[in-house]
Amino acid sequence: MKNIAVLLSGRGSNFKAIYNSIEAGYIVNARIKAVVSNKAEAPGLQFAKDRCLSSYFVNPSEFESRTAYDTEIIDILKSKGIDLVCLAGYMRLLSAKFVDTFKNRIMNIHPSLLPAFPGLNAQKQALEYGVKISGCTVHFVDKELDHGPIILQKAVEIKGNDTVKDVSERILIEEHKIYPEAVRLFVENRLTVNNRKVSIDYS
Ligand code: GAR
């Protein structure tokens, strides 16, 4: 059994996709043991509460440094025996201590084909740049923003008169497929990380 923690800041649709994949039996031998948010009002946190999952609002204003804040979360995750940390729209940078504590056990989803368009508003960046294809990426987290070893990616076409909303919606549909798939591969011990490269055992 693998214990999963989800860190989120907002809507939590990727969290719901992972949760639903476990409930539906697409991901087996895994359970969500903790949901943590830096935003008290995050709808994703409410979704967790409504399902009686252990949920935590950790208030950034109560901590003097990023490391102190992350230490509080590390303590929660350790007490829950967490194997995998899923960032799902978690809009805070992680400290080096957090990344080291869960090395190659933190995943993130980003709404672009990394290494293109890291950072905020990736869909808007892609549209303004004029690319014809964008997409989404699930990757392990390292100490650089939106940078770690890539697990899965899915391309999405950008059409002539698309708005940011159109592109975001089209990408989100694919996010909800590849994030649960990446979690399933982790839970089934099919992922091996070698420097930047993630190999997947499909046998
Ligand atoms: C998703 O589109 C995710 O890819 C993006 O935030 C959204 C969260 O939606 N993450 C980032 O931009 C991280 N750099 P959700 O709360 O509905 O899962």
Side-chain angles (χ1 to χ4, degrees):
M1 181 64 74
K2 292 272 200 294
N3 294 327
I4 298 173
V6 176
L7 273 54
L8 54 79
S9 303
R11 178 177 59 181
S13 72
N14 279 288
F15 158 48
K16 291 176 198 170
I18 295 166
Y19 175 84
N20 289 337
S21 295
I22 294 172
E23 290 297 299
Y26 175 71
I27 302 169
V28 291
N29 291 327
R31 57 190 169 186
I32 293 176
K33 285 276 279 184
V35 179
V36 180
S37 181
N38 61 325
K39 301 276 185 194
E41 305 304 327
L45 199 58
Q46 189 60 47
F47 180 88
K49 285 181 197 156
D50 291 344
R51 279 147 194 85
C52 299
L53 299 172
S54 297
S55 50
Y56 305 85
F57 162 55
V58 184
N59 188 347
S61 70
E62 290 175 7
F63 297 85
E64 281 181 359
S65 67
R66 187 174 301 283
T67 303
Y69 181 79
D70 280 1
T71 301
E72 175 78 12
I73 298 179
I74 290 166
D75 289 346
I76 294 170
L77 303 189
K78 282 193 169 165
S79 77
K80 293 279 175 182
I82 295 302
D83 300 294
L84 173 67
V85 180
C86 293
L87 308 185
Y90 184 61
M91 297 313 202
R92 264 182 79 87
L93 293 173
L94 295 181
S95 61
K97 179 177 177 181
F98 196 111
V99 175
D100 285 336
T101 304
F102 292 99
K103 188 170 163 48
N104 290 338
R105 296 191 294 138
I106 310 166
M107 284 184 188
N108 181 42
I109 182 124
H110 184 75
S112 75
L113 293 176
L114 291 172
F117 312 123
L120 293 175
N121 304 317
Q123 304 96 328
K124 183 164 180 274
Q125 291 185 55
L127 202 60
E128 287 177 354
Y129 197 92
V131 293
K132 306 295 187 199
I133 294 171
S134 190
C136 47
T137 303
V138 183
H139 64 95
F140 283 115
V141 171
D142 67 8
K143 287 172 191 162
E144 287 178 57
L145 179 67
D146 299 327
H147 174 270
I150 290 170
I151 304 165
L152 293 173
Q153 293 185 298
K154 186 69 200 259
V156 166
E157 196 183 342
I158 296 186
K159 296 170 189 165
N161 42 18
D162 273 348
T163 61
V164 174
K165 185 168 175 281
D166 296 330
V167 174
S168 301
E169 284 174 0
R170 208 173 298 132
I171 292 175
L172 195 63
I173 290 168
E174 302 306 326
E175 294 186 37
H176 295 164
K177 295 177 190 164
I178 68 168
Y179 209 173
E181 188 183 347
V183 171
R184 181 177 66 81
L185 291 167
F186 181 94
V187 168
E188 294 179 2
N189 298 314
R190 292 177 190 275
L191 301 177
T192 309
V193 186
N194 235 319
N195 299 318
R196 272 216 59 85
K197 299 235 176 107
V198 179
S199 51
I200 303 176
D201 175 6
Y202 281 113
S203 63

